[in-house]
Amino acid sequence: MSLKKQLRYLRNKIQFLFRLKEIHLFRQWFYPDVSIFSMNCFGGHIYQDLHWKYNSPTAGLFFFADDFCSILEDISILKRQVFFKSHSKWDLANKKMQARPHIYPIGYFQGTDIEIHFLHYHTEEEALSKWNKRMRRFNFDRFIAIGFQQNLCTIHTLKRFSNLSLSNKCFFCNQDLGFSSVIYIKEFRGKDESPDPYKYVNIYYRYLAGYLKNNPISQ
């Protein structure tokens, strides 16, 4: 193992130790039957730390903010068949794709223009297989939606999310807007968008634990 990999491994181990308190709390609050519908890979990180199987398809992928809200406004969209396309409707995604070492699959739900960006997958077959496998575990009756101020998130997006008639939801934000279910993270104040949920996972965990302490996941 190279020195760089050794240092990364050590850093990750130290970060893990610092979030053990939150992991213990999540183990009490989430329960294995609660699905985490995250706007990006954050939900997958929680499942990894809890050593639970993914009860949600939102691992290794992301949604643009408005598409994320569109799904939550009609969660039955998740039951639709997923197809694939070569280019995104979002110019930002197409520009970023050109700078990536590999082109990832872009899915969309049948009859919609709502996209799934399978960031950490290399083929459509792999992405669809993982999506369908994890989608079969998704609990439509008990899930929490977790959003982030990124991927073209606007004030309008935050208002849409705040107005969702969901019992279990939260949205990480870099501004203190006072919207319902929106968690202001003061460490990220002034940033254009929410930083990497893996690199800053300990900060997100701390704020999520504080939020869930006062807003427990409903039965």
Side-chain angles (χ1 to χ4, degrees):
M1 185 184 295
S2 67
L3 178 59
K4 183 177 181 180
K5 289 184 178 179
Q6 290 181 45
L7 291 174
R8 186 187 304 122
Y9 176 82
L10 181 60
R11 182 196 64 199
N12 291 340
K13 282 293 184 182
I14 293 173
Q15 286 186 333
F16 177 80
L17 292 175
F18 275 106
R19 63 176 181 272
L20 277 176
K21 177 183 176 182
E22 286 77 21
I23 292 171
H24 176 68
L25 291 172
F26 291 167
R27 194 175 295 277
Q28 299 177 57
W29 293 338
F30 280 108
Y31 304 106
D33 69 325
V34 174
S35 290
I36 303 169
F37 190 74
S38 177
M39 201 173 110
N40 52 34
C41 303
F42 182 69
H45 204 309
I46 293 176
Y47 284 123
Q48 291 170 12
D49 279 345
L50 294 176
H51 299 290
W52 290 346
K53 64 183 179 181
Y54 295 129
N55 284 336
S56 171
T58 56
L61 55 82
F62 72 90
F63 301 96
F64 274 80
D66 280 317
D67 279 351
F68 183 65
C69 284
S70 293
I71 294 170
L72 293 173
E73 287 168 348
D74 181 7
I75 198 65
S76 68
I77 287 172
L78 292 179
K79 298 179 180 179
R80 299 192 183 195
Q81 189 172 351
V82 173
F83 296 100
F84 291 90
K85 60 200 300 189
S86 58
H87 291 84
S88 173
K89 67 178 180 180
W90 305 104
D91 289 338
L92 178 62
N94 295 321
K95 290 178 182 178
K96 286 186 174 182
M97 184 82 79
Q98 296 175 3
R100 292 191 56 78
H102 76 274
I103 296 175
Y104 64 77
I106 301 172
Y108 67 96
F109 295 100
Q110 183 180 24
T112 78
D113 67 348
I114 299 172
E115 296 179 353
I116 316 166
H117 290 258
F118 291 99
L119 183 64
H120 296 297
Y121 298 90
H122 290 265
T123 68
E124 295 176 3
E125 292 76 15
E126 178 193 18
L128 187 60
S129 175
K130 291 291 187 181
W131 174 272
N132 288 337
K133 178 181 178 180
R134 293 165 180 166
M135 194 63 243
R136 286 192 289 269
R137 302 177 189 150
F138 188 78
N139 189 345
F140 283 89
D141 296 319
R142 197 163 186 231
F143 70 91
I144 180 171
I146 303 178
F148 291 74
Q149 189 179 352
Q150 56 185 212
N151 299 324
L152 302 182
C153 178
T154 65
I155 296 296
H156 174 67
T157 309
L158 291 166
K159 288 180 179 178
R160 284 181 71 187
F161 186 87
S162 181
N163 290 331
L164 289 169
S165 58
L166 295 177
S167 301
N168 307 311
K169 61 177 181 176
C170 63
F171 204 106
F172 295 114
C173 183
N174 307 338
Q175 301 166 268
D176 188 6
L177 300 172
F179 292 157
S180 171
S181 305
V182 174
I183 304 173
Y184 166 53
I185 300 183
K186 62 182 180 180
E187 286 88 344
F188 301 154
R189 181 177 58 189
K191 292 185 178 295
D192 293 333
E193 61 177 32
S194 300
D196 186 341
Y198 266 64
K199 184 176 181 180
Y200 296 95
V201 62
N202 287 20
I203 294 177
Y204 287 117
Y205 271 32
R206 188 167 69 250
Y207 277 86
L208 180 59
Y211 179 80
L212 291 177
K213 183 178 180 180
N214 298 313
N215 302 273
I217 297 173
S218 60
Q219 299 292 331

